[in-house]
């Protein structure tokens, strides 16, 4: 598996793998073709579906015999809100708004294959738009030190909830696991390709690091694990 730039793409792919639903990844269709302008989106029997949560709800109805257990709603919904409505935005702050070299690495991946003239325009427009979004969210108004402190609190909560169990569902995955894994694998191995406070802190949470590696080993074959040249390595 390659470490997707999007935790929501990773979430859907991991759900498909954990549930055993067959699928094919389309790496050629550009994001501009997405009906919502976002990823992920799927094509199933001529029907296009967008939004990771809606996709998974559809898959649960279409393949009920393969669906992962929902798990307690008192765990799944708070965890999903924390991961997707908070920890995700901290990733956005780090990747898009801080260092120019991080932003260049991000754009090099996102805009791969896009004509150079369009790249020139997008590289200038997208960053400003994302900065406006994180400011509107509220997290973009906070001092960076406080943003990182809140990320540590999120990771503390996830670590405590997981405890010594292999998965959030206990001995087997539940709906919560693709949500959490999709975010953690990006924090641990994705952009930016440097050490930064959230990544450093995550590495101190052994049960979360082991959790990411366990899912890689169990649901992604060796050839599909994140290639070594795409793993995080410190800048020289």
């Amino acid at each position: 598996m390659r470490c997707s730039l999007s935790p929501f793409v990773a979430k859907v792919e991991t759900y498909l793998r954990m549930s055993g639903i067959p699928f094919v990844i389309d790496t050629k269709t550009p994001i501009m073709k997405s009906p919502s302008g976002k990823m992920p989106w799927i094509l199933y029997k001529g029907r296009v579906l967008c939004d990771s949560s809606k996709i998974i709800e559809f898959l649960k109805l279409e393949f009920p015999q393969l669906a992962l257990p929902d798990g307690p709603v008192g765990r799944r919904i708070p965890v999903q809100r924390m991961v997707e409505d908070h920890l995700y935005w901290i990733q956005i702050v780090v990747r898009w708004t801080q260092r120019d070299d991080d932003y260049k690495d991000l754009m090099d991946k996102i805009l791969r294959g896009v004509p150079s003239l369009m790249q020139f325009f997008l590289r200038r427009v997208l960053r400003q738009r994302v900065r406006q979004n994180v400011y509107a969210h509220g997290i973009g108004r906070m001092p960076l030190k406080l943003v990182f402190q809140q990320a540590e609190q999120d990771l503390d909560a996830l670590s405590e909830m997981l405890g010594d169990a292999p998965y959030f569902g206990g001995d087997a995955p539940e709906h919560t696991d693709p949500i959490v894994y999709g975010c953690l694998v990006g924090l641990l191995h994705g952009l930016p390709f440097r050490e930064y406070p959230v990544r450093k802190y995550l590495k101190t949470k052994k049960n979360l690091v082991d959790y990411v590696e366990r899912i890689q080993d169990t649901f992604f074959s060796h050839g599909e694990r994140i290639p070594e040249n795409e793993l995080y390595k410190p800048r020289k």
Side-chain angles (χ1 to χ4, degrees):
M1 172 196 173
R2 295 182 181 275
C3 186
S4 173
L5 287 173
S6 167
F8 303 105
V9 172
K11 166 186 165 184
V12 171
E13 181 183 356
T14 305
Y15 186 93
L16 289 164
R17 290 181 180 275
M18 286 180 167
S19 61
I21 299 171
F23 66 99
V24 175
I25 298 176
D26 179 2
T27 59
K28 296 181 180 179
T29 303
I31 190 173
M32 288 80 79
K33 297 288 186 180
S34 167
S36 66
K38 297 181 179 181
M39 302 293 274
W41 59 284
I42 67 169
L43 178 65
Y44 179 75
K45 294 183 178 180
R47 181 177 178 182
V48 175
L49 295 104
C50 305
D51 183 272
S52 62
S53 293
K54 291 180 180 178
I55 290 170
I56 288 176
E57 290 304 315
F58 171 81
L59 294 172
K60 287 161 59 178
L61 294 174
E62 194 71 15
F63 301 93
Q65 72 282 11
L66 297 176
L68 296 180
D70 281 340
V73 69
R75 174 172 62 221
R76 175 170 51 86
I77 297 302
V79 168
Q80 183 169 4
R81 297 291 184 265
M82 178 173 64
V83 169
E84 297 185 351
D85 295 339
H86 190 253
L87 199 50
Y88 163 73
W89 283 97
I90 293 172
Q91 272 189 307
I92 294 297
V93 168
V94 172
R95 288 178 174 178
W96 288 81
T97 70
Q98 297 304 303
R99 289 174 37 162
D100 291 341
D101 51 353
D102 291 342
Y103 182 68
K104 180 181 181 302
D105 288 342
L106 180 69
M107 288 295 97
D108 287 347
K109 282 190 171 289
I110 290 178
L111 300 180
R112 187 179 298 167
V114 175
S116 56
L117 185 60
M118 187 177 293
Q119 281 200 34
F120 179 82
F121 171 75
L122 290 174
R123 285 174 187 268
R124 283 151 181 77
V125 169
L126 290 177
R127 194 177 202 182
Q128 182 59 34
R129 184 172 297 175
V130 170
R131 280 176 168 157
Q132 291 171 351
N133 288 342
V134 297
Y135 186 84
H137 175 277
I139 201 165
R141 308 175 192 223
M142 299 179 184
L144 196 57
K145 183 177 180 180
L146 178 58
V147 171
F148 290 153
Q149 286 175 348
Q150 291 190 355
E152 291 177 4
Q153 291 170 352
D154 290 346
L155 295 173
D156 286 341
L158 291 173
S159 178
E160 184 175 311
M161 280 188 279
L162 180 63
D164 296 328
Y167 304 101
F168 283 85
D171 292 333
E174 66 177 27
H175 191 154
T176 304
D177 288 288
I179 297 169
V180 176
Y181 172 80
C183 183
L184 292 185
V185 70
L187 289 176
L188 198 58
H189 295 309
L191 289 170
F193 291 141
R194 62 179 174 86
E195 200 74 79
Y196 65 101
V198 180
R199 176 168 286 149
K200 285 181 180 179
Y201 193 76
L202 175 54
K203 287 180 178 180
T204 70
K205 300 296 178 180
K206 186 176 185 302
N207 65 336
L208 295 181
V209 174
D210 291 346
Y211 171 79
V212 170
E213 295 305 314
R214 182 179 302 112
I215 291 176
Q216 283 274 302
D217 290 337
T218 305
F219 298 101
F220 297 84
S221 67
H222 179 71
E224 293 167 324
R225 287 174 59 84
I226 304 169
E228 282 297 319
N229 64 349
E230 296 208 2
L231 286 169
Y232 156 73
K233 292 181 180 178
R235 293 184 185 276
K236 296 181 179 179

